[in-house]
Amino acid sequence: MTHWTQDKIQLGHGGGGRLTGRLIRDAILPRLDRGHLAELQDSAILNSLSGPLAFTTDSFVVSPIFFPGGDIGSLAVHGTCNDLACAGARPQFLSLGLILEEGLDIKKLHEILESIARASDNARVEVVTGDTKVVPKGSADKVFINTSGIGSVKAHAALSMARIHPGDCILVSGPVGNHGLAVMLSRADFSFDFNLESDSASIWPIVEVLLELGPSLKFLRDPTRGGLAATLNELAAGSQMGISVDESTIPLDESVISASEILGIDPLQAANEGKVVVVVEGGKAQKALELMVGCGPGQHASIIGEVTSHRPGVVVMNTRIGGQRIIPEPSGELLPRIC
Amino acid sequence: MTHWTQDKIQLGHGGGGRLTGRLIRDAILPRLDRGHLAELQDSAILNSLSGPLAFTTDSFVVSPIFFPGGDIGSLAVHGTCNDLACAGARPQFLSLGLILEEGLDIKKLHEILESIARASDNARVEVVTGDTKVVPKGSADKVFINTSGIGSVKAHAALSMARIHPGDCILVSGPVGNHGLAVMLSRADFSFDFNLESDSASIWPIVEVLLELGPSLKFLRDPTRGGLAATLNELAAGSQMGISVDESTIPLDESVISASEILGIDPLQAANEGKVVVVVEGGKAQKALELMVGCGPGQHASIIGEVTSHRPGVVVMNTRIGGQRIIPEPSGELLPRIC
C-alpha cells in the first residue's frame, strides 16, 4: 500500500468490506459512539422516546468545507437540530450519511468527524446510525453530509402558520447574514480580515425558553437559504397576511454590513445557521424578547416587525430614511452551496 | 427563460427561493404527499408512534440511475425499508434528501419521483419530510438520494449477533447477486440480453411472517454491498463463530451465473437489494423455510448453512464437487456505486 492510499479516501472505504470496517472502527466510532453506534447494526433501536416526535432531514453541500466559525460537520449537526427546534422539538437523535469523494484527505475527514462530535455533544444530541458511501474522483466534490434527526415535541401548541394573525409580532434571535457572508468571504480571497464568522449553532436553548409562552408562541423558522428575506416571504405567503418590518430594528453586525457592501450581497438574503425567526402574540412580544435576551445565544434578539391585514402575502420594510420598500422573495440562486 | 433552463435543473432549484418552491409544488408534492409533506414544515410531526423505534439512514449513489428492475428512487425506498426490517421493525416513515446536479433533466427527476411514490406505496411507507440541494455541474453525478427511516419494532426478542450459537441455521430468502450483476450489465453495453433484473424490493413481508418464530429468530441482515460473502463474514466475525455453507444450496439464477462468468464477478460478492439472510435456532430451520416459501417474495428461500464452533470468524463453503473453500471477506471495492 502506497503512502497515497493511506492518506486518501479510496473507493474501497465505501465498499462495505474490510476498508469500510476499518474506517468505521478507526475514524468514526472513537469520536461519535455514545452508546448506539458501536453495535454497527443497520438500524439503531431507540427505546426512550415517547409522545409526538419531530422528524427532519437535511443534506449539506457547503463549499468550502471549512469556513470561519465552522465546517460542514458542525453545520450538519446544527442545521438538523435547528429544523427540529423550529417544530418545538428537543433534538435527540441524529443519523449521519457521508458521501465522500475518492481522494479526499483522510485527515480532513477526521477533522470533520471531530467537529460533528463536538457539535453533537454541545447540542446534547446523539449520532445513533450512519452510512458511508464513496464515489469516484470527480463524481462529487470532497464531501456531502446528510443528517436526519428525531426530537421530542415539547411545544404546548402546534407551531403553525395557520395560527398567525394580524397584530402578532415578529422577532429575530440576533444579527443576520453572518453565515452566508462568512462562507462567501472564505471563497473570495481577501487580503484583509473582516473578522466575520458563521453563526452556526444550535437554537434549541433559545426555543426552550420561549416554550414558556405556551400557545402565545405561534411559529418558529430558522432563516437559512435565502436568509431573513426568504423566511419573511414564506411567512407572508403561508399565512396570507401582510408583514411589516422596520429596517432599524433588524440586527446586523458591522462586519456583515461592510462585507455585504463589498460582495454586493444583500445581508437579508444571506443564510443564517444559528438564528430563529419567532412569531408571537402581540401582547407577548416584550416577554418573548426578555426570554430570548436572558438566554445566552439570544442576547442580541430584537422585535423586528408585525403581522398585518394589509397587502396579504407581501413583506414591506419601513426604511431608516422613512420610506417603504418591498422585500421580495429571493429568486434563483445567488449563493450556491451555502449550506 | 430559455428552453434549456425549463428542462434542466438549475442552481436556483436548490436555493430555497421561488424556483425551489415551484419544484416542490409541481414535482414533489403531487407524487409524494400522503398527508405530512404538504405542510412544508422543516420537520414532520409524527403522532402515531409508540414502543421502541428503529432509525436508520442510507445514501444512494448508484450509477446508472436507471437499471433493469429499478432506479435510484425505488432503490432508495427499498434499501432503507430493508434496514428497518432487519431490525425487526415495520417500516413506517421516510425522509427524502435529494442532491441534484445542475443540468439534470427534469424529466428524469420526475421519473425518479414517480418511482419513489410507487415503491413507497407498495411498501406502505410514507415520505414525510425532505430536502433538496442543487450543486453546480461537475460537483456531483446526476442525483444522489439519502433516505432515512423510522419503523416500529415488532420483533419479540432483540435481533442480535450476540444471540447466535453453534447449531443455529442460516437461510437466504432467494437467489443472490441479481442487483449487482444487473447494474454492472447495464454499465457494460452488451449486444445480447441476459434477462437479468435487480431484485430491488421491500423484504418486510418476509420478515413479518418470520416474527412468528419468536425468540428462535436470532438475526436478520440484508446482503447488500459485498453481497452474501460480506454478510456471512460479518456474521462470523461478529458472533465469533464458524460458519459452514453448502454451495449447492445457495440459490442462483441461471442468468446471474452466465453474467457473472462473462463479467468475472463472483455472484456471492454481488449486491442484493431485496433479499434477507436469516439466522434461526437449528430446530426451527424447517419452519422458517416454510414460512418464507409460503410468502410470495420468499418462495425461492433456502437453508444454506449452519453456525459452528469450529474455526471462529471463518466462513467455509462445502463445494459442489466435495471440497471446501474459505469465502473471504470482500476487500477493496469491486463494484463502485452499486447502490
Side-chain angles (χ1 to χ4, degrees):
Chain A
M1 197 181 275
T2 66
H3 184 70
W4 186 86
T5 57
Q6 290 180 330
D7 291 352
K8 307 278 186 181
I9 287 292
Q10 306 166 51
L11 285 174
H13 283 116
R18 205 175 302 167
L19 273 176
T20 307
R22 196 185 302 164
L23 184 73
I24 292 172
R25 277 193 310 274
D26 295 352
I28 296 180
L29 293 185
R31 292 196 175 81
L32 294 180
D33 179 47
R34 299 291 182 274
H36 285 87
L37 213 52
E39 294 196 23
L40 294 181
Q41 301 295 338
D42 281 338
S43 298
I45 304 295
L46 309 175
N47 289 305
S48 57
L49 287 162
S50 65
L53 300 180
F55 180 35
T56 191
T57 192
D58 223 334
S59 298
F60 297 84
V61 297
V62 66
S63 174
I65 54 178
F66 298 94
F67 47 82
D71 56 57
I72 192 169
S74 52
L75 192 66
V77 171
H78 296 144
T80 289
C81 286
N82 293 350
D83 283 348
L84 294 170
C86 285
R90 183 162 70 83
Q92 287 182 270
F93 300 108
L94 294 184
S95 65
L96 177 66
L98 300 170
I99 297 177
L100 309 177
E101 185 189 13
E102 180 189 18
L104 175 73
D105 275 339
I106 289 188
K107 195 162 155 276
K108 285 189 182 161
L109 179 61
H110 281 272
E111 282 176 51
I112 291 167
L113 291 166
E114 279 290 350
S115 169
I116 291 172
R118 226 170 13 242
S120 302
D121 287 344
N122 286 340
R124 298 188 185 180
V125 289
E126 183 181 347
V127 175
V128 292
T129 187
D131 172 64
T132 304
K133 293 289 191 306
V134 179
V135 296
K137 201 162 176 61
S139 294
D141 187 15
K142 296 182 189 72
V143 52
F144 300 149
I145 299 182
N146 177 284
T147 45
S148 300
I150 298 178
S152 301
V153 177
K154 302 293 180 191
H156 309 287
L159 298 170
S160 159
M161 287 198 206
R163 295 208 295 118
I164 296 177
H165 295 299
D168 287 348
C169 279
I170 300 165
L171 298 89
V172 66
S173 63
V176 296
N178 299 54
H179 175 76
L181 284 155
V183 172
M184 293 311 285
L185 274 180
S186 69
R187 285 187 208 167
D189 203 13
F190 283 105
S191 54
F192 55 102
D193 190 359
F194 283 89
N195 210 4
L196 178 51
E197 291 199 340
S198 167
D199 61 338
S200 179
S202 166
I203 59 167
W204 171 248
I206 303 172
V207 172
E208 193 172 23
V209 298
L210 286 172
L211 296 182
E212 190 187 317
L213 296 173
S216 303
L217 182 65
K218 304 288 192 80
F219 190 74
L220 301 168
R221 175 68 52 103
D222 53 333
T224 58
R225 285 180 288 181
L228 186 62
T231 296
L232 294 176
N233 273 282
E234 271 177 70
L235 272 176
S239 65
Q240 276 304 300
M241 305 282 159
I243 286 185
S244 164
V245 294
D246 290 321
E247 185 175 20
S248 62
T249 60
I250 297 174
L252 284 170
D253 284 342
E254 280 304 325
S255 57
V256 165
I257 296 170
S258 317
S260 67
E261 282 168 2
I262 286 175
L263 293 172
I265 292 169
D266 179 354
L268 301 190
Q269 295 198 4
N272 308 277
E273 292 290 343
K275 296 298 180 313
V276 57
V277 172
V278 179
V279 183
V280 296
E281 242 176 59
K284 292 295 172 72
Q286 276 303 326
K287 177 68 183 165
L289 184 64
E290 282 164 27
L291 288 169
M292 289 164 87
V293 169
C295 151
Q299 59 182 309
H300 299 298
S302 175
I303 301 171
I304 62 168
E306 62 174 339
V307 178
T308 73
S309 53
H310 317 302
R311 305 184 73 175
V314 178
V315 180
V316 176
M317 181 160 78
N318 304 304
T319 65
R320 279 174 202 279
I321 56 170
Q324 285 198 329
R325 73 171 178 91
I326 287 173
I327 301 184
E329 184 186 2
S331 69
E333 175 57 290
L334 300 169
L335 308 173
R337 299 187 62 186
I338 207 68
C339 61
Chain B
M1 197 182 275
T2 66
H3 184 69
W4 187 86
T5 57
Q6 290 179 331
D7 290 351
K8 307 277 187 182
I9 287 292
Q10 304 166 51
L11 285 172
H13 283 116
R18 205 175 301 166
L19 273 176
T20 307
R22 197 184 301 163
L23 184 73
I24 292 171
R25 276 193 310 274
D26 295 353
I28 296 180
L29 293 185
R31 292 194 175 81
L32 294 180
D33 179 47
R34 299 289 181 276
H36 285 87
L37 213 53
E39 293 195 21
L40 293 181
Q41 300 295 337
D42 281 337
S43 297
I45 304 296
L46 309 176
N47 289 305
S48 56
L49 288 162
S50 65
L53 299 180
F55 180 35
T56 191
T57 192
D58 223 333
S59 298
F60 296 85
V61 298
V62 67
S63 172
I65 54 178
F66 297 95
F67 47 82
D71 56 57
I72 192 170
S74 52
L75 192 65
V77 171
H78 296 142
T80 289
C81 286
N82 292 351
D83 283 348
L84 294 171
C86 285
R90 182 161 69 82
Q92 288 182 270
F93 299 108
L94 295 184
S95 65
L96 176 66
L98 300 170
I99 297 177
L100 308 177
E101 184 189 14
E102 181 189 18
L104 175 74
D105 275 339
I106 289 188
K107 195 162 154 278
K108 286 188 181 161
L109 179 61
H110 281 272
E111 282 176 50
I112 291 166
L113 291 166
E114 280 289 350
S115 169
I116 291 172
R118 226 171 13 242
S120 303
D121 287 344
N122 285 340
R124 297 190 185 179
V125 289
E126 183 181 346
V127 175
V128 293
T129 186
D131 173 64
T132 303
K133 294 288 191 307
V134 179
V135 296
K137 201 163 175 59
S139 295
D141 186 15
K142 297 183 189 72
V143 51
F144 299 150
I145 299 182
N146 177 284
T147 45
S148 299
I150 298 178
S152 301
V153 177
K154 302 294 179 191
H156 308 289
L159 297 170
S160 159
M161 288 198 205
R163 295 207 297 119
I164 296 177
H165 296 301
D168 287 348
C169 279
I170 300 166
L171 298 90
V172 66
S173 64
V176 296
N178 299 54
H179 175 76
L181 284 155
V183 172
M184 292 311 285
L185 274 181
S186 69
R187 285 187 209 168
D189 203 13
F190 283 105
S191 53
F192 55 102
D193 190 0
F194 283 88
N195 209 5
L196 179 51
E197 290 200 339
S198 166
D199 61 338
S200 178
S202 167
I203 59 167
W204 172 247
I206 303 172
V207 172
E208 193 172 24
V209 298
L210 286 171
L211 296 182
E212 190 186 318
L213 297 172
S216 301
L217 182 65
K218 304 286 193 84
F219 189 74
L220 301 168
R221 177 67 52 101
D222 53 334
T224 57
R225 287 181 288 181
L228 185 62
T231 296
L232 294 176
N233 273 282
E234 271 177 72
L235 272 176
S239 64
Q240 275 306 298
M241 304 282 160
I243 286 185
S244 165
V245 294
D246 291 321
E247 186 176 17
S248 62
T249 59
I250 298 175
L252 284 171
D253 285 342
E254 280 304 326
S255 57
V256 165
I257 295 171
S258 316
S260 67
E261 281 167 3
I262 286 176
L263 293 172
I265 291 170
D266 180 354
L268 301 190
Q269 295 198 4
N272 308 277
E273 292 290 343
K275 296 298 180 313
V276 58
V277 172
V278 179
V279 183
V280 296
E281 243 175 59
K284 291 296 172 71
Q286 277 302 328
K287 177 69 184 166
L289 184 64
E290 280 163 29
L291 288 169
M292 290 164 87
V293 169
C295 150
Q299 58 182 309
H300 299 297
S302 174
I303 300 172
I304 62 169
E306 61 173 341
V307 177
T308 72
S309 53
H310 316 304
R311 305 185 73 175
V314 178
V315 180
V316 176
M317 182 160 78
N318 304 305
T319 64
R320 280 175 200 278
I321 55 169
Q324 285 198 329
R325 73 172 178 91
I326 287 173
I327 301 184
E329 183 185 3
S331 69
E333 174 58 291
L334 300 170
L335 309 173
R337 299 187 62 186
I338 206 70
C339 59

